[in-house]
Each structure stands twice: as structure tokens, then as C-alpha cells.
Amino acid sequence: MLEASSREFRKANSAVGVRVKSGPTLTMMGRRIFNVLLYHAQKQGNPGSNAPSAWDACPNPEDYFWIPSGDLAHDSSWGSKDHKMLIAGLQQLQTTLVESDDPTGRFTSVQLIGTVHVLKGSGRRPTLVGWEFPRSTRDILSNPDFYTKLSIYHLTSLKTVAGTALYEIAKRYLTNVGGKTARQHWHWWHDTLTGKPVGSVKFPEFRYFKRDTLNPAIEEVNRTDIRVELIETKKGRSVTDLQFLVSFSQQATLELPPAPVVDSELLDRVKALGFTERQAIDLLSQHEDAYLRSTLELVEGRMADLSKPALASPAAFMRTALKDNYLSAKQRIKSEAPASKPKKTPSRAQAVADPAEDKERSARLDAAIASFNAMAADEQNELLVQFHAAFPMAKRYRRDGKPFRSTFGEWFSRRDIPDAQTSLV
């Protein structure tokens, strides 16, 4: 377990604020794992410490850094017992090529890590993870001349990719004269803070980037040991460049437990769509927490909408919604919709009709639930199978809860009506 006073490590300035040139998105999981590997490499000093005996696939184990997989999971606040996904994270780092603005070019277009070996444990011997840094950057990474001192504690307290990237950049410029980061075009900040490969996505409008990425990242960083303030440069009415004013926080930060990479509650909700645990974890690691949650709510709302046909595959719909940013499209349609006309005061007859309609629906739902409860267990199970096939999300509904009463009751009371699935309002 890491002691608070020994959680700092040195990260080469050329490795701070990198942009992904090719490969997968540099996710929260990837960033945390990479920082933990740097921490342990510097702590060990040289490769070969704790090296196991050689085997066919690894004839020179002394050329690698080695740590138990449990230490890697703990120090990166993995939050899941499935350590195989950590290995998948290491493999992602192997295929990620990054570039930086270091004028020497020493850290341009290189892998974050090189070869990885895993020696499965047995008995009391833990599973060991061995890795190497690319030879061209090994000294820069493990023993840098120009570096930024970072804290594993603060890095694992951050919950978003953008917040983590901004924190590292801000720490680099904290002691600069004037306390300002380099001024860059906002497209550069977009690539750097999102971790997406350069040129792989179309840039959103700046106002959406500021709302969805910049502001949440700033709020996160300002809860750590430093504070950042956004400075915008405009050309006419359009924002072109951004930089940040960085200072030490005037208020002591609270010692809060690190945020897990895997949120168990969110994981269960994603799995309810039909994903396996490994697929769900992969999805969580690839997307910002806020974006994933909002898109998940959109998908769950679509599944619960009885006025539309049931989704053939909620998991496939979720993947498409994330890839094509259905959330942004929905927000854009909402913002561009013409202002609705003021509602007219309902007539007395209408005012009397509405409560009656609600009462009739409530009675129908109560009757449906009562009829269901009176059935034999086998009949109930058969109906539940049909219901869950139409509404997979409802598998997590409690039988005595309001969501079950409303959704199941409506479906059960109208299941024999032709095309009821598409005609319910």
C-alpha cells in the first residue's frame, strides 16, 4: 500500500500533455496504468528487481520491471477483481503512439510501453507483470532530466480523462514565471484533453467542448492541490486559443479515497443492456464518466418508452449512441426547437377528465399486477421471460417497485392488443 508521503514520481516534461498520434483512445485506465508503471520503475531504479526465473517466452527477465498484478490494480484504483482487464489495458498502451511538442523530438511518435510479460501465480506466489519502456525513451521516462513532479494520490482522485490530462499540464507550468501554461489553439487542447487520436473525430462547436469537457475538467482540478483559471483568446467573436493561469490551492485538500476506474453501480447498469462484464468494463474505460452516464440514461429512456417498438439489441443501440453522439444530436434538436406556445388554461371539462383518465390507468395497472400475483409460479416465470425479452433493462426492477408496476403493468394489461407495442402512448 502506498504511503501518502511516498506517492510522488517524476514525469518527463516531454511525456506531459501528449497527443495520441495513432492507436486507441488514451483512456482513464490507460493513463492511470502508465503513471503507476512510471512510479514503480522510478522506485525500483533499474529493471531486474523482483525478476522471476527465465522461461521460453522471456529468456531475459532481468531486462524488465516487475510488480505483482495486485499492486498494479491497487495503485491504479482499478476497482474490479477482474485483473485480466488490466492486461488488456497494458496491451492498449503497447499500441498507442503519442507525440509531444518537445522541440528535441525525443518523445515523438513512440509507444508508451514496449513488451509485456505476465507470469501467472500459483499458491502463495502472486501473478507478476513485467514490462519495458521503449529503449529510445527508457532513460527519459525512468530518470528524466526535465520533469514534472506528480502525485499518484491526486491522479487517482480524478475521475475524468480531461481532468487528469489538465492536472498534469497545469502541474508542469505551476512554477513558471507568470504561472501560465503555453497558449495553444483550442483544437490542440481538445486532442490533448480527450485522448482521442489526432484527426479521428470531427471537432464539436467550441461551446459544446467547453461545456462537456473543459468546465468539468477545471472543476475537478480545482478540487486538488492546485487551481486553474481559463484564459480565452478571441478573433472577433470566435474563440481561437486557450491557456490556463495556474496557482497553488489556498485551501487544504481533503484526504478522500481514490476514485475507482470501474464504478460497480454503473457497471451493473451497462451489463443490464446485454453486455458481458468484460465488454462493460471496456466501455467504461473508453468513455468519459459523465458522457457515458448521460448516454446510458438516453438509452434506458428509449427502452422504457412504450410508444416505440422494443429495441432488438439494447447493447448495439448503446454502442451506436456513443459512437454517433446521439446525446449531442438530442441536445441540438432541443436547443433549435421553436419556443412552444403558452399552454391554454384547460376547461373545466378537461380538468375533470384528466384525473379520471389517471384513475382509470392506475386501476388498470393494479388489476394487471393483481392478476399476475394470482398466477402460479411457472406462469409468472414464463411471462417474466417474455417481458424481459421486450424490456431487458427491467431485469433490475424490484417486483414491488413503481418502475415494475408501471412498465410491466402497462405491458401485461395490453399484451393481447394487436400492435400494442407500437400504439401505446
Side-chain angles (χ1 to χ4, degrees):
M1 181 174 180
L2 295 174
E3 296 295 333
S5 60
S6 63
R7 291 188 173 193
E8 290 186 332
F9 67 101
R10 304 179 308 280
K11 192 167 189 177
N13 287 342
S14 56
V16 173
V18 296
R19 289 165 295 168
V20 177
K21 187 170 184 177
S22 66
T25 297
L26 187 54
T27 63
M28 174 63 76
M29 178 175 67
R31 288 177 184 273
R32 286 195 183 182
I33 292 176
F34 181 63
N35 285 331
V36 170
L37 296 182
L38 280 180
Y39 167 80
H40 280 280
Q42 291 177 12
K43 189 175 180 181
Q44 294 178 18
N46 296 300
S49 298
N50 307 319
S53 300
W55 71 94
D56 291 344
C58 184
N60 301 304
E62 65 277 1
D63 292 338
Y64 299 86
F65 296 97
W66 296 90
I67 58 173
S69 62
D71 288 356
L72 178 58
H74 175 272
D75 295 348
S76 58
S77 299
W78 173 232
S80 171
K81 294 181 180 180
D82 188 353
H83 289 184
K84 292 181 181 179
M85 283 304 298
L86 280 175
I87 309 305
L90 290 167
Q91 292 173 331
Q92 284 185 1
L93 292 178
Q94 285 183 294
T95 58
T96 301
L97 297 180
V98 297
E99 61 183 11
S100 72
D101 294 329
D102 183 352
T104 67
R106 291 183 301 178
F107 201 72
T108 298
S109 188
V110 297
Q111 290 173 277
L112 289 174
I113 60 172
T115 303
V116 173
H117 289 289
V118 178
L119 179 61
K120 190 173 182 180
S122 62
R124 294 186 177 182
R125 189 189 70 189
T127 295
L128 294 177
V129 175
W131 76 95
E132 66 173 354
F133 294 117
R135 295 190 179 277
S136 60
T137 59
R138 179 184 293 180
D139 292 338
I140 299 172
L141 292 173
S142 59
N143 190 28
D145 293 325
F146 302 98
Y147 59 84
T148 298
K149 190 173 287 188
L150 296 170
S151 162
I152 287 289
Y153 165 74
H154 287 300
L155 289 173
T156 54
S157 71
L158 297 163
K159 297 181 179 180
T160 66
V161 172
T164 304
L166 179 58
Y167 177 81
E168 291 188 14
I169 295 170
K171 290 285 283 190
R172 174 181 177 178
Y173 291 94
L174 182 61
T175 56
N176 271 26
V177 177
K180 291 182 180 179
T181 68
R183 182 174 134 184
Q184 300 280 5
H185 194 280
W186 75 264
H187 287 178
W188 182 93
W189 286 101
H190 176 277
D191 291 336
T192 303
L193 298 187
T194 61
K196 297 181 183 298
V198 175
S200 66
V201 296
K202 183 179 179 181
F203 292 113
E205 291 183 39
F206 174 75
R207 56 175 174 162
Y208 294 131
F209 169 60
K210 183 176 182 180
R211 180 195 65 191
D212 299 333
T213 304
L214 277 178
N215 287 342
I218 292 170
E219 290 178 10
E220 261 201 334
V221 171
N222 286 343
R223 291 195 293 268
T224 66
D225 56 335
I226 60 174
R227 290 191 61 80
V228 293
E229 180 181 339
L230 178 63
I231 302 173
E232 299 178 357
T233 299
K234 293 185 177 182
K235 185 175 182 180
R237 299 179 63 182
S238 300
V239 174
T240 56
D241 297 347
L242 304 175
Q243 65 182 148
F244 292 86
L245 180 63
V246 190
S247 61
F248 285 103
S249 177
Q250 299 299 314
Q251 185 175 358
T253 56
L254 297 175
E255 286 285 323
L256 298 175
V261 173
V262 179
D263 183 318
S264 59
E265 179 271 334
L266 187 59
L267 182 67
D268 288 341
R269 289 174 62 190
V270 173
K271 286 167 59 180
L273 301 183
F275 291 98
T276 65
E277 179 162 343
R278 190 158 298 178
Q279 290 172 333
I281 290 176
D282 196 38
L283 211 63
L284 264 63
S285 70
Q286 293 174 4
H287 301 280
E288 289 281 5
D289 185 84
Y291 176 63
L292 186 66
R293 286 179 184 277
S294 297
T295 304
L296 179 59
E297 289 174 3
L298 183 150
V299 175
E300 290 174 338
R302 168 63 180 82
M303 293 170 64
D305 189 348
L306 300 180
S307 67
K308 296 179 181 178
L311 295 176
S313 173
F317 186 82
M318 177 71 174
R319 287 191 186 278
T320 304
L322 288 167
K323 179 182 177 181
D324 296 342
N325 200 353
Y326 282 9
L327 188 66
S328 178
K330 181 179 180 181
Q331 292 169 338
R332 184 169 61 253
I333 292 173
K334 185 176 180 180
S335 64
E336 294 174 355
S340 58
K341 296 181 179 180
K343 294 182 179 180
K344 296 181 179 180
T345 303
S347 65
R348 181 174 298 181
Q350 290 174 319
V352 172
D354 288 344
E357 183 178 332
D358 290 342
K359 186 175 181 180
E360 185 276 332
R361 179 176 182 272
S362 181
R364 187 175 76 251
L365 297 182
D366 287 341
I369 296 298
S371 176
F372 173 74
N373 290 336
M375 291 180 174
D378 291 344
E379 293 178 297
Q380 289 182 342
N381 290 334
E382 184 178 347
L383 275 174
L384 287 174
V385 169
Q386 297 175 28
F387 173 60
H388 290 151
F391 302 97
M393 181 190 68
K395 290 180 180 179
R396 59 191 181 89
Y397 288 170
R398 289 175 48 188
R399 289 267 296 271
D400 59 349
K402 290 183 179 179
F404 179 83
R405 173 183 177 274
S406 177
T407 309
F408 176 80
E410 193 72 57
W411 173 82
F412 182 61
S413 65
R414 307 190 65 171
R415 72 191 190 286
D416 295 326
I417 300 176
D419 299 324
Q421 191 65 45
T422 58
S423 64
L424 294 177
V425 177

